[in-house]
Amino acid sequence: MTPRELDAAGVTDPFLRAAYTRCRALNARHGRTYFLATRLLSVERRSAVHALYGFARYADDIVDDLDGRVSPAQRSAALGDLEAQWGRALRGEAVSEPAVAAAADTRARYGIPADRFSAFLASMRTDLSVCSYATYDELNTYMYGSAAVIGLQMVPVLGTVCPPEEAEPYAAALGIAFQLTNFLRDVGEDLDRGRVYLPADLLAAHGVDRDLLRWSRLTGCRDSRITSAMRAAADVTRRVYRQAEPGIALLDPTSSPCIRTAFVLYQDILDVIEAEGYAVVHRRAVVDGRRRARVALTGLAKALTARTLRRGVRGGPPPVTGARTEGGVAPALRSPGGRREARGEVGE
């Protein structure tokens, strides 16, 4: 995190400042689209978004480790350590993992229900043993924990112009739309991990199974059945985006440009996949940097306008946000003597 972002968020403890900074570095390195969109948020909200993403990314990195030297048992143990640290953080005990400390502090600041984190961790544990889903309903159960709850965690941070519960179904749908986009984009990489996230019944309707996908991946050969199945998966994903879109207007106007930018850029991934002939088994679709910059600049202009209007309005209704803890820091998450440092690399 930058000092300005941390100061604006009211994060003063040295250990927590380092922890939030670590989460920002994870976001910048792994979530290019998400990180770009986050830059459009008002400065006081950015650290919380980075913390939520950093926690999710840390867990995801454990279960998605492609290093053949890391056994399933070792990944399970690492996830167990993360779960144990999260439990200690919820009980107000000290933790050493920066991603846990920052996420727990954000949860306390914004009053985010703890079950939204436990559901996420449960889905991450599922990834250690489940490598395919028979139906979309089965996949949707997994995605509630792996994606929908991420959208739900974000609602109190972003703020709304309505009671938060009215915005939550749309936020959950948007989280699922983003993940479905990732599943389609990453078909080849997930095959390398031994996973197929696209539902088996959707694939089978087009004559596709795991063996055909693996053959295509290994040989580099195209197959019209795979193209048809990937097109159908893209159509399902676009429908979920349409379900989620009305919720953007329910967000605080100073936050909605951020989510609109992510909404547009993630759908651009689908456009690239389509333009490349749904060749996701062989290569990952990437949105052109110039396109990303144009969308981000449009979002920035809208964000600045919204902030200007907010500053110019006196006596208007404030956005509805989660309850923020005064001072923001759960006592056990403060570093002993204010000198505790986060483990791992800390970005700028």
Side-chain angles (χ1 to χ4, degrees):
M1 298 301 302
T2 66
R4 176 171 172 261
E5 290 169 338
L6 291 167
D7 291 344
V11 180
T12 58
D13 178 78
F15 173 58
L16 281 175
R17 287 173 76 91
Y20 275 103
T21 298
R22 170 62 174 159
C23 290
R24 184 183 188 274
L26 285 170
N27 195 352
R29 183 162 66 249
H30 293 288
R32 293 185 301 169
T33 296
Y34 202 54
F35 181 78
L36 180 63
T38 301
R39 298 296 298 159
L40 305 182
L41 286 174
S42 56
V43 66
E44 70 276 5
R45 288 186 167 108
R46 294 176 197 166
S47 59
V49 175
H50 289 312
L52 296 176
Y53 180 91
F55 181 77
R57 183 74 255 179
Y58 185 82
D60 199 53
D61 283 348
I62 291 173
V63 300
D64 278 352
D65 193 339
L66 281 172
D67 189 339
R69 295 170 297 181
V70 181
S71 70
Q74 288 172 315
R75 288 197 293 271
S76 179
L79 185 60
D81 178 67
L82 176 63
E83 292 166 334
Q85 289 210 48
W86 181 252
R88 290 198 295 272
L90 291 184
R91 294 192 298 271
E93 299 172 13
V95 295
S96 59
E97 173 51 50
V100 173
D105 183 59
T106 292
R107 192 204 73 79
R109 287 173 182 271
Y110 287 93
I112 303 171
D115 60 3
R116 292 175 181 174
F117 295 87
S118 58
F120 168 74
L121 289 170
S123 283
M124 292 300 97
R125 183 155 289 280
T126 296
D127 272 333
L128 296 176
S129 58
V130 177
C131 60
S132 63
Y133 294 88
T135 65
Y136 185 82
D137 284 344
E138 284 189 11
L139 179 63
N140 204 44
T141 298
Y142 165 80
M143 289 192 299
Y144 171 77
S146 64
V149 295
I150 304 299
L152 295 174
Q153 290 169 14
M154 290 280 289
V155 169
V157 175
L158 298 174
T160 60
V161 295
C162 62
E165 59 270 19
E166 293 181 19
E168 287 179 348
Y170 301 103
L174 188 56
I176 289 173
F178 287 165
Q179 184 158 72
L180 286 171
T181 303
N182 289 341
F183 286 161
L184 184 58
R185 180 197 62 191
D186 298 339
V187 166
E189 294 177 10
D190 286 331
L191 272 171
D192 294 341
R193 298 182 177 101
R195 297 185 193 139
V196 177
Y197 283 105
L198 300 183
D201 60 350
L202 181 150
L203 297 174
H206 300 272
V208 177
D209 59 15
R210 179 188 289 264
D211 289 340
L212 181 61
L213 292 173
R214 187 182 297 112
W215 167 84
S216 181
R217 177 73 168 172
L218 292 174
T219 64
C221 296
R222 303 284 296 276
D223 188 288
S224 61
R225 292 170 292 178
I226 295 177
T227 301
S228 179
M230 299 304 116
R231 183 182 294 112
D235 289 342
V236 169
T237 305
R238 290 189 189 278
R239 286 199 293 272
V240 181
Y241 276 111
R242 289 195 291 271
Q243 294 168 6
E245 184 172 15
I248 298 175
L250 302 181
L251 298 175
D252 179 352
T254 64
S255 296
S256 59
C258 163
I259 303 306
R260 174 66 67 180
T261 296
F263 178 88
V264 171
L265 288 176
Y266 264 90
Q267 288 191 93
D268 281 350
I269 295 172
L270 296 179
D271 293 341
V272 173
I273 289 172
E274 180 179 8
E276 294 181 348
Y278 299 94
V280 289
V281 173
H282 308 120
R283 60 180 176 271
R284 175 190 254 226
V286 178
V287 177
D288 179 81
R290 289 172 295 182
R291 165 64 177 172
R292 287 159 50 85
R294 287 195 298 271
V295 174
L297 285 173
T298 299
L300 177 61
K302 292 179 179 178
L304 292 175
T305 298
R307 290 175 211 168
T308 300
L309 290 173
R310 172 67 54 78
R311 287 193 295 267
V313 172
R314 295 292 182 268
V320 181
T321 62
R324 296 188 60 166
T325 303
E326 189 66 29
V329 185
L333 297 180
R334 292 194 178 98
S335 59
R339 293 187 297 274
R340 189 173 185 178
E341 295 183 1
R343 282 195 294 124
E345 174 191 357
V346 177
E348 294 182 0

